[in-house]
Amino acid sequence: MKKLLLLLALIIVAFSGCVEEKPSPEELKAMMIESVEKIETVTFSTDTHQSIKLVNHSETNRTLRTMNFETKSEGEGVLNVSARAMKMTMTTTATSEETGEVTTELEMYMENDTLYTNTDGNWTKMPGMPEEMWDQQNQVMVQAELLNASEIELVGTEEVGGEEAYRVKVVPDMETFTMILNQQMGSMPFYAFNMTEIFEDSEMEWTTWISVESHLPLKTQMSMALTLTDDLMNLPVGEMSDIEMEIETDSTVIYSNYNDPVEIVVPEEALAAPSWLEMLMAMMAQPSDSAPVEETIQ
């Protein structure tokens, strides 16, 4: 009997030694940041769907009272941190009742401080970009910093791309929430909005999968829903009063091929493209169509 009890005890000890202890949220954050700081290259893909419903309650025409806009974007890219080079392609389809469906193809390269963009076949370049612009291209680091500034909760493990990963629920603070809004809808002046109330009334579900082995982000899913009114947007009285904007966004980003050899070559037509300043000067130098025509006096 004693031998049997001893054998059971040894089995329990053996199995207990095989159980891997999960890191705490703060430990996982620290390990993730340390791993992200060491990456040389990464491949990423993005998929975003955004819908906006604009309601003007003061509009008497029912047809004009509500406008709907929908945008779908799919993109992929590769980043070489050590070479300070990035390539990304993206297809965006915007749909509205007024314009119908409009698709835009974007190809973008960044090498050191120069940004090259090809929109629907037209290349242009922007030299002398600030250092912050390059930092923003490192999407893995940006996501890691946002995660590090938020509360996280480990809710289990799952496989992502054949790799075991911690499934992490993320709860951002108001500052991080505002940064995410600026990423999703950078054209809106959120600095002037009542962000405290918007943050409290919005809904956000944010999940990230972090590799158990490498502690690098593998996937991020985010859904967000918020309603903006003229009061929340601090619009002047009488200017677009009594409006309401309902915004829903769903996005997924997948990271893969960490530290695989990558060579990013900027196309010759991009290198030879005019800069945005040259294009602006050329536009200003063109004669105006509205110039007065001198009449000959007989």
Side-chain angles (χ1 to χ4, degrees):
M1 185 66 178
K2 290 182 178 179
K3 290 183 178 180
L4 179 59
L5 291 175
L6 179 60
L7 180 60
L8 289 173
L10 291 172
I11 292 173
I12 292 172
V13 170
F15 274 97
S16 64
C18 295
V19 177
E20 183 179 353
E21 185 177 348
K22 293 182 180 179
S24 70
E26 293 306 314
E27 288 173 336
L28 184 56
K29 284 182 182 181
M31 291 187 293
M32 175 191 60
I33 290 294
E34 183 181 1
S35 296
V36 167
E37 288 178 343
K38 296 176 181 177
I39 68 170
E40 295 293 331
T41 64
V42 62
T43 300
F44 57 90
S45 64
T46 64
D47 190 345
T48 302
H49 179 205
Q50 185 177 88
S51 63
I52 299 176
K53 180 180 178 181
L54 180 62
V55 182
N56 185 350
H57 295 286
S58 63
E59 176 61 59
T60 57
N61 188 323
R62 288 182 176 271
T63 304
L64 300 177
R65 184 179 300 174
T66 303
M67 292 183 287
N68 294 286
F69 307 90
E70 187 174 355
T71 304
K72 294 181 180 179
S73 298
E74 293 183 355
E76 57 184 20
V78 60
L79 177 71
N80 190 326
V81 179
S82 55
R84 293 178 63 84
M86 182 272 298
K87 174 188 177 182
M88 185 177 72
T89 58
M90 181 170 291
T91 301
T92 301
T93 301
T95 307
S96 69
E97 297 172 357
E98 183 177 345
T99 62
E101 189 175 285
V102 178
T103 299
T104 302
E105 300 286 346
L106 172 67
E107 183 178 5
M108 183 169 69
Y109 290 82
M110 190 165 186
E111 190 174 59
N112 294 319
D113 68 343
T114 303
L115 178 67
Y116 305 87
T117 57
N118 176 7
T119 305
D120 293 332
N122 298 311
W123 282 100
T124 186
K125 62 185 177 186
M126 299 180 68
M129 300 299 292
E131 184 70 21
E132 300 79 42
M133 184 67 179
W134 167 252
D135 294 338
Q136 292 173 10
Q137 306 312 311
N138 190 341
Q139 294 195 30
V140 183
M141 179 59 77
V142 171
Q143 284 297 315
E145 290 175 347
L146 292 175
L147 281 170
N148 194 41
S150 306
E151 292 184 15
I152 68 171
E153 176 188 356
L154 279 67
V155 294
T157 58
E158 293 178 359
E159 276 200 5
V160 176
E163 188 170 350
E164 188 178 7
Y166 296 116
R167 181 186 175 100
V168 177
K169 179 182 178 182
V170 189
V171 181
D173 59 11
M174 189 175 75
E175 182 178 353
T176 306
F177 173 82
T178 304
M179 292 175 65
I180 293 169
L181 272 187
N182 278 314
Q183 288 180 356
Q184 299 282 354
M185 305 184 65
S187 59
M188 299 189 71
F190 288 104
Y191 64 88
F193 291 3
N194 184 345
M195 289 307 305
T196 301
E197 194 168 342
I198 293 173
F199 173 67
E200 292 174 351
D201 294 342
S202 66
E203 297 179 6
M204 175 181 283
E205 292 185 6
W206 180 3
T207 305
T208 292
W209 288 260
I210 300 174
S211 170
V212 171
E213 181 179 359
S214 67
H215 307 128
L216 290 167
L218 300 178
K219 181 180 177 181
T220 294
Q221 282 186 340
M222 187 183 299
S223 62
M224 182 168 50
L226 64 151
T227 300
L228 303 178
T229 62
D230 50 322
D231 291 335
L232 293 177
M233 291 186 284
N234 291 322
L235 295 178
V237 177
E239 184 175 328
M240 293 186 68
S241 60
D242 203 15
I243 67 168
E244 188 174 88
M245 187 183 298
E246 299 175 8
I247 304 171
E248 293 185 2
T249 301
D250 291 288
S251 63
T252 300
V253 183
I254 297 175
Y255 308 99
S256 60
N257 302 327
Y258 281 106
N259 297 324
D260 284 358
V262 167
E263 184 180 8
I264 299 173
V265 179
V266 180
E268 290 294 332
E269 55 266 37
L271 295 172
S275 70
W276 66 272
L277 183 58
E278 290 172 336
M279 294 181 65
L280 179 62
M281 296 299 292
M283 291 174 61
M284 294 176 63
Q286 290 180 355
S288 173
D289 293 337
S290 59
V293 179
E294 295 183 5
E295 295 183 0
T296 303
I297 301 177
Q298 301 292 336

